[in-house]
Amino acid sequence: MSSTSFERRRRRAGLLFVAPAAIVLLAILAYPIVESFILSTQSVRLVAGGVTKEWNSFANYIRLAGDETFRRAVVNTMIFSFGEVALVVSIGLAVALLLNHPLGRWGFFRIMLVVPWAIAPVANAVLWKWILNSNYGILNGLLKSLGLIEYYQVWLARPWSAFGFLLLIDVWKSVPFIALLLLAGLQRVPQSLYKAAYMDGAGRWQAFRHVTLPTMRSALAIAVVLQTIWSLRVFEIIFVLTRGGPADATVLMNFLAYRVTFNFLDIGYGAAIANIIFALTFLLAITYVWLMQPRKRRISS
Amino acid sequence: MSFASARSRDRGFRVLVVVGLILFVVWSAAPILWLIVSSLMQQQALIVQPPDFSLGNFTLENFTEVIVSAAALGRGILNSFIVALFSTAVALVIGAPAAYALARLAVPRANALAFLVLATQMLPGIAIAIPLFLVISRLGLIDNVLALGLVYLSFNLPIVIWILRGFFLAIPEGIEKAAAVDGAGVVGTFLHIVLPISIPPLGAAAVFAFVEAWNEFFFALILTRQDAQTVPLVIAQFAGQYQTLFGQMMAAAAISIAPVIALAIIFRNQIVRGFADGMMKG
Amino acid sequence: MSQIELRHVDKSFGAVGVCHDINLTVEEGEFVTLLGSSGCGKTTTLNMVAGLEDPSKGDILIGGRRVNDLSPVQRDVAMVFQNYALYPHMTVAENLGFTLKMRKMAKPQIAERVAAVAASLELTPLLERLPSALSGGQQQRVAIGRALVREPRVFLFDEPFSNLDASLRVKMRAEVKQLHQQLGVTTLFVTHDQEEAMSISDRIAVLNRGKVEQFGTPEEIYSRPATRYVARFIGNPQIDLVPGELEPGADGAVLRLAGVALTLPDFVPPPGAGPAVEVGVRPEHVRLTEAGIPAKVQLVQPVGAATHVVLGWEGGDLIASVPGFVHLSVGAAIHFEIDPRHVLVFDAQSGDRLM
């Protein structure tokens, strides 16, 4: 039997408890992160089944600056992320408000929320590939029978239409989680605040404006940051639906890094693109952590 | 403002809410409904315009065909079960003690560590994919189920730790002290007291980890070739190869999502509570 | 032997000191209460005795043996926690038996001991229930049972009744006191409720900012408080403190407060004391009279057995506690007297009691 006190035993046990997880995370993640930085400063070639690496300092990054496709991918990513965050957070908030209303408490609505969340992105992409099919797709059929289009459209053949549909598909998949997050935030707004606002003569809109929004501010900020991070990862729908086309209109940075590395086998250059994404995500993650810190000052309305 | 006008305004608002809820259900359900319906319809009925929804055109043929003809699907499902179960189970076994330690055991810089753990979950896959691919190919473990499972373990651990830590933080201190006075050591307290009262969040964490691993595509694409392919890869390939067999494509998709959809529906309340709350707790 | 002794015990968390040089001895079989407001270090002190926190300095002895490095089990102490701290997933029987199971006692013996304790606390019909299906009072009883089942050398109580409603609290107090009288186990009890401390303890240690202000019997603490802090902390309604001056007189000393002179017979102030003092007057030592010090009635608060009358006079406000009900109207002119034998005189600077 050990003969040390509660506090000391707990401190010792703590390290023991953390160790296995720490080892696994370090073993699987730490090396690749470091290696990724090293790779990005190398010119990597695959020669006869082997890999040769040669240091080329910041040549990969310099090359990025002059790369038309990369510039295109950055602009696409910015538009995509901005559009996705704006749409997902506003639709998510609307859904959360609906489900927080007494009429929206039915368990069925929760099922409607978790099902799109659980669907694999690939299955989602395949499903939409069928919906958007140019010859037999239900969307063409529906729009034609409603008289909205005259001829069947090849939705994924025109740049802006393809981009827009990818955005829509990813928004559809992303709304549930953000709605769940905001619903949890809504349920934390103290009911007494609404009673007080009502006693003060506030209407529904004013209560939303002066009670709900201010108390939801940090939940909304967290939703924005998380969704931005996730929007930088979009991959499956591009892979299945457009492969970046038409004419690179749907190439996002993440997909470009994949294509450069695994299709063009330009590994060092791919790593450089990956690191740009990593840096962006890192900044966003720091923002997220900062937002999660308990606030000292309370929001006054 | 008169009472009557307030009442009618209230009724107007309720109508608005109902319309909103209907729109929400249509938005969420329509694509899935179409997936299910078209997976149950014969090819000839799908390729006429408009689709012929007469009862005689509904069939289970697509499912039987897909199961019989696409051997890859069966193997993919098996592989997915292996990687998802492995990465979830191991993540729980080593993640739960870590979460407990970070929440309660006075680990130095516990909060910073917890955030670091969370940050690893946010890593963009592509950033680690390249070196990971190089290492795993050097080790000759490309297309190995276990290698893929280990990679998924490193994604699932942070999720598990983060969900459980939020819950452990809320356990009243008195219970652990009572257990210490009653003669339980740290391990005894964890096994006899902490774990049994944490079954709901353990369930939420498990469902979450399982769904993430089951659905993962990017690393499966890079790290497998054939034998270790998981369901999402099979589906993506299927959609490329048999892209005109719409009914079968949808049947395969339906089979691939069924297990996780079932889990999500069964554990919906734990998911709502466990995960959404955890993402906002500091 | 189960005497508890704390010798020069300090506890700090980083730079924040919580306990300073605590010296305390609980004799075998004694019931001692640590009393103080929140943040005074009383629960920390109790936790250190239990083995749940380590002292930064000093020694803790149980039964004459230094226990600083022993785990709670090795110290053979049992503890009842605030909010009960019952294991929510275990039935009452499992809660009671957990500690015996941890000691690897055989199942039939556990069942026997649990049954005996349950019977003594009238918990037998509840043995198969979960804590969530119990009332507050029943949960409290289980918490006590969990401590009893061990037959420990020492009982520790950490604000055990703070979640109970007032009437139940008084009832549980009596039960714990009876239990102590039956078993005679050395007990250390923590509370912030002075009335609870007074009614239950053999001796009370009043803690203030991590220091023991006074350690004595309830009577000593109430009638002869060592410091102004103790005097204010003990007694309900609170003691009134009136600023005054102390002058040497013919026989003893003379106390001047707001134009009133009180002769204190046979009292010789220690050298260096005063002249500025504060005079503590307990409400029961203020008598309403026909003649005497003039005052006005400010507030009348009947509490049943007595009526508290707040008097406004030159020296400020003063509460008089009068037995039974009195009928006075607010604003009425009245006279009162202070019993000089019972006044408490504190040095205005140090707060120490001079008389």
Side-chain angles (χ1 to χ4, degrees):
Chain A
M1 201 188 254
S2 79
S3 59
T4 43
S5 74
F6 183 73
E7 272 185 287
R8 262 171 290 160
R9 283 199 324 196
R10 280 167 77 89
R11 222 169 305 143
R12 232 177 22 208
L15 295 176
L16 233 71
F17 275 36
V18 170
I23 289 169
V24 167
L25 286 179
L26 278 175
I28 304 180
L29 296 178
Y31 166 74
I33 292 171
V34 175
E35 179 69 11
S36 171
F37 280 99
I38 298 171
L39 279 174
S40 72
T41 62
Q42 290 173 327
S43 162
V44 185
R45 289 210 169 70
L46 295 172
V47 187
V51 183
T52 64
K53 298 173 188 171
E54 197 178 301
W55 192 68
N56 67 356
S57 79
F58 294 104
N60 288 324
Y61 291 96
I62 293 162
R63 197 174 134 202
L64 280 177
D67 184 341
E68 191 61 40
T69 315
F70 177 70
R71 212 175 304 156
R72 185 84 193 265
V74 170
V75 173
N76 283 345
T77 305
M78 278 167 58
I79 299 172
F80 191 89
S81 292
F82 182 81
E84 171 153 280
V85 169
L87 286 171
V88 168
V89 173
S90 46
I91 298 174
L93 180 61
V95 170
L97 286 169
L98 285 170
L99 297 203
N100 199 38
H101 189 272
L103 290 172
R105 304 262 163 97
W106 186 28
F108 173 72
F109 294 127
R110 283 201 169 173
I111 294 179
M112 285 292 96
L113 209 51
V114 294
V115 167
W117 164 75
I119 285 182
V122 167
N124 187 33
V126 170
L127 165 61
W128 284 90
K129 190 174 185 171
W130 164 225
I131 291 175
L132 298 176
N133 186 286
S134 50
N135 295 320
Y136 311 107
I138 187 85
L139 185 69
N140 270 323
L142 216 59
L143 291 181
K144 178 140 194 236
S145 58
L146 290 173
L148 292 171
I149 52 171
E150 209 168 324
Y151 305 105
Y152 275 25
Q153 305 288 315
V154 188
W155 298 111
L156 299 176
R158 269 171 297 134
W160 283 109
S161 149
F163 191 88
F165 274 107
L166 288 192
L167 187 59
L168 173 78
I169 294 165
D170 209 52
V171 166
W172 182 81
K173 169 85 180 120
S174 306
V175 159
F177 194 86
I178 293 299
L180 281 181
L181 199 77
L182 295 177
L183 189 59
L186 276 178
Q187 282 163 357
R188 286 184 193 189
V189 181
Q191 288 304 303
S192 56
L193 282 184
Y194 288 115
K195 282 184 198 155
Y198 181 70
M199 297 303 288
D200 288 343
R204 216 179 317 262
W205 166 248
Q206 283 153 323
F208 176 73
R209 176 86 188 49
H210 297 290
V211 177
T212 312
L213 276 186
T215 37
M216 289 282 287
R217 198 174 291 171
S218 74
L220 282 166
I222 287 171
V224 165
V225 175
L226 279 178
Q227 190 55 52
T228 313
I229 291 173
W230 291 331
S231 73
L232 294 177
R233 288 185 177 181
V234 169
F235 181 78
E236 289 90 340
I237 49 171
I238 301 174
F239 185 88
V240 170
L241 289 169
T242 66
R243 297 271 172 154
D248 285 350
T250 57
V251 168
L252 303 188
M253 284 162 75
N254 196 30
F255 187 78
L256 182 66
Y258 165 79
R259 196 170 68 178
V260 164
T261 310
F262 293 97
N263 291 353
F264 305 161
L265 298 178
D266 198 346
I267 294 176
Y269 192 49
I273 300 173
N275 285 340
I276 302 283
I277 304 170
F278 177 74
L280 274 177
T281 309
F282 187 71
L283 285 178
L284 288 164
I286 289 176
T287 315
Y288 171 72
V289 166
W290 177 76
L291 285 168
M292 296 233 302
Q293 305 292 325
R295 276 301 112 85
K296 290 263 160 54
R297 67 192 160 82
R298 281 268 149 253
I299 300 136
S300 52
S301 46
Chain B
M1 180 172 66
S2 78
F3 195 66
S5 83
R7 276 257 288 274
S8 77
R9 255 182 41 166
D10 217 59
R11 202 178 307 133
F13 186 75
R14 287 171 73 88
V15 169
L16 207 70
V17 170
V18 170
V19 169
L21 285 168
I22 291 170
L23 279 177
F24 159 68
V25 171
V26 170
W27 153 271
S28 304
I32 301 164
L33 208 63
W34 182 230
L35 187 156
I36 296 168
V37 168
S38 46
S39 75
L40 291 170
M41 281 172 73
Q42 286 172 348
Q43 179 80 356
Q44 311 92 282
L46 284 173
I47 57 174
V48 294
Q49 274 314 327
D52 183 359
F53 291 114
S54 53
L55 221 54
N57 289 328
F58 282 86
T59 169
L60 286 174
E61 245 170 55
N62 292 323
F63 286 88
T64 50
E65 291 269 323
V66 150
I67 291 165
V68 171
S69 67
L73 186 64
R75 195 181 54 213
I77 286 175
L78 183 66
N79 285 335
S80 280
F81 262 112
I82 293 170
V83 292
L85 279 178
F86 169 80
S87 63
T88 301
V90 179
L92 283 182
V93 168
I94 66 179
Y100 179 63
L102 290 179
R104 304 305 287 248
L105 293 183
V107 173
R109 307 205 170 268
N111 281 334
L113 275 177
F115 280 118
L116 198 67
V117 164
L118 185 68
T120 66
Q121 219 281 313
M122 296 181 180
L123 278 178
I126 187 73
I128 58 167
I130 302 165
L132 215 49
F133 169 74
L134 293 177
V135 173
I136 290 178
S137 37
R138 211 177 302 147
L139 295 172
L141 292 176
I142 293 290
D143 211 18
N144 181 309
V145 181
L146 196 70
L148 190 63
L150 278 171
V151 171
Y152 288 178
L153 171 62
S154 76
F155 303 156
N156 278 342
L157 254 181
I159 301 179
V160 166
I161 291 176
W162 197 257
I163 295 178
L164 293 180
R165 175 179 166 271
F167 180 82
F168 291 153
L169 278 173
I171 293 179
E173 247 190 8
I175 288 184
E176 288 166 278
K177 290 189 169 170
V181 172
D182 276 351
V186 185
V187 176
T189 305
F190 182 64
L191 292 179
H192 292 291
I193 311 292
V194 174
L195 283 186
I197 61 178
S198 310
I199 288 170
L202 283 168
V207 168
F208 224 88
F210 188 90
V211 171
E212 289 284 309
W214 182 273
N215 287 345
E216 208 286 331
F217 177 74
F218 183 64
F219 281 86
L221 175 70
I222 292 168
L223 301 177
T224 66
R225 291 289 169 268
Q226 189 174 7
D227 292 345
Q229 278 193 341
T230 53
V231 152
L233 272 175
V234 177
I235 298 299
Q237 270 177 5
F238 201 84
Q241 284 162 11
Y242 303 93
Q243 48 180 317
T244 49
L245 295 177
F246 306 113
Q248 289 191 27
M249 205 160 86
M250 289 303 107
I255 293 170
S256 79
I257 62 175
V260 283
I261 300 275
L263 279 178
I265 291 177
I266 295 167
F267 289 94
R268 62 185 177 278
N269 292 325
Q270 282 85 338
I271 292 169
V272 174
R273 239 171 295 140
F275 204 75
D277 269 7
M279 295 305 275
M280 290 199 291
K281 222 172 269 164
Chain C
M1 278 292 284
S2 57
Q3 175 203 58
I4 306 169
E5 203 180 334
L6 286 89
R7 288 185 190 159
H8 306 294
V9 170
D10 276 24
K11 175 71 181 177
S12 49
F13 296 101
V16 187
V18 181
C19 297
H20 307 285
D21 196 30
I22 293 192
N23 289 286
L24 204 68
T25 303
V26 184
E27 299 298 342
E28 174 148 21
E30 199 180 15
F31 195 119
V32 168
T33 297
L34 300 175
L35 173 66
S37 52
S38 68
C40 75
K42 56 190 191 299
T43 294
T44 303
T45 306
L46 192 76
N47 281 342
M48 288 192 288
V49 173
L52 296 171
E53 287 182 50
D54 295 329
S56 307
K57 260 189 240 158
D59 292 325
I60 294 165
L61 292 84
I62 296 177
R65 185 173 158 219
R66 185 172 177 277
V67 295
N68 283 39
D69 295 324
L70 298 188
S71 69
V73 210
Q74 290 163 320
R75 295 181 191 202
D76 198 14
V77 297
M79 188 156 169
V80 176
F81 292 85
Q82 197 177 4
N83 311 329
Y84 325 125
L86 299 180
Y87 310 126
H89 60 298
M90 296 185 190
T91 63
V92 169
E94 286 165 337
N95 262 285
L96 293 175
F98 182 68
T99 180
L100 303 177
K101 188 174 147 196
M102 285 294 105
R103 278 146 198 262
K104 314 226 158 34
M105 192 184 265
K107 273 193 181 156
Q109 274 173 284
I110 295 180
E112 204 174 294
R113 284 270 276 277
V114 166
V117 166
S120 75
L121 289 169
E122 294 163 28
L123 289 171
T124 309
L126 308 174
L127 277 176
E128 293 315 312
R129 289 210 201 158
L130 288 174
S132 54
L134 302 180
S135 70
Q138 288 166 336
Q139 291 186 39
Q140 179 62 66
R141 245 182 259 276
V142 177
I144 291 173
R146 198 167 58 173
L148 281 179
V149 80
R150 296 260 306 270
E151 300 175 2
R153 285 196 295 175
V154 167
F155 275 136
L156 305 172
F157 289 87
D158 183 12
E159 308 233 13
F161 309 141
S162 55
N163 276 6
L164 299 175
D165 60 52
S167 63
L168 203 52
R169 204 180 308 160
V170 173
K171 188 165 167 270
M172 289 306 298
R173 223 186 261 170
E175 282 189 30
V176 166
K177 190 163 187 174
Q178 269 174 349
L179 205 64
H180 179 254
Q181 281 163 2
Q182 281 166 27
L183 302 173
V185 177
T186 312
T187 302
L188 194 55
F189 188 100
V190 160
T191 183
H192 65 271
D193 179 345
Q194 53 94 18
E195 197 183 309
E196 188 164 288
M198 295 284 286
S199 67
I200 207 168
S201 323
D202 294 327
R203 282 195 293 168
I204 299 172
V206 181
L207 265 66
N208 179 29
R209 296 182 190 181
K211 286 194 186 121
V212 178
E213 288 262 341
Q214 187 173 4
F215 185 31
T217 64
E219 191 184 346
E220 282 166 358
I221 299 268
Y222 185 80
S223 310
R224 295 190 294 284
T227 63
R228 186 169 50 194
Y229 179 85
V230 175
R232 288 178 65 99
F233 201 83
I234 308 286
N236 184 23
Q238 211 178 36
I239 196 167
D240 279 304
L241 290 169
V242 186
E245 277 182 18
L246 194 60
E247 287 171 7
D251 43 335
V254 176
L255 201 55
R256 296 194 182 281
L257 22 135
V260 182
L262 285 177
T263 310
L264 307 174
D266 309 325
F267 173 59
V268 185
V277 293
E278 280 190 70
V279 180
V281 185
R282 293 218 182 267
E284 65 269 29
H285 302 139
V286 179
R287 267 198 315 270
L288 302 186
T289 50
E290 296 293 308
I293 309 164
K296 272 206 167 72
V297 175
Q298 302 222 335
L299 200 62
V300 182
Q301 296 170 299
V303 293
T307 301
H308 302 148
V309 183
V310 180
L311 305 167
W313 66 299
E314 262 187 86
D317 286 353
L318 205 61
I319 299 178
S321 176
V322 186
F325 289 88
V326 288
H327 301 281
L328 290 167
S329 37
V330 172
I334 202 170
H335 296 270
F336 71 93
E337 264 178 17
I338 297 170
D339 189 338
R341 285 169 307 169
H342 291 293
V343 297
L344 303 168
V345 183
F346 299 97
D347 189 292
Q349 227 109 74
S350 68
D352 291 343
R353 187 167 59 86
L354 305 171
M355 183 201 137

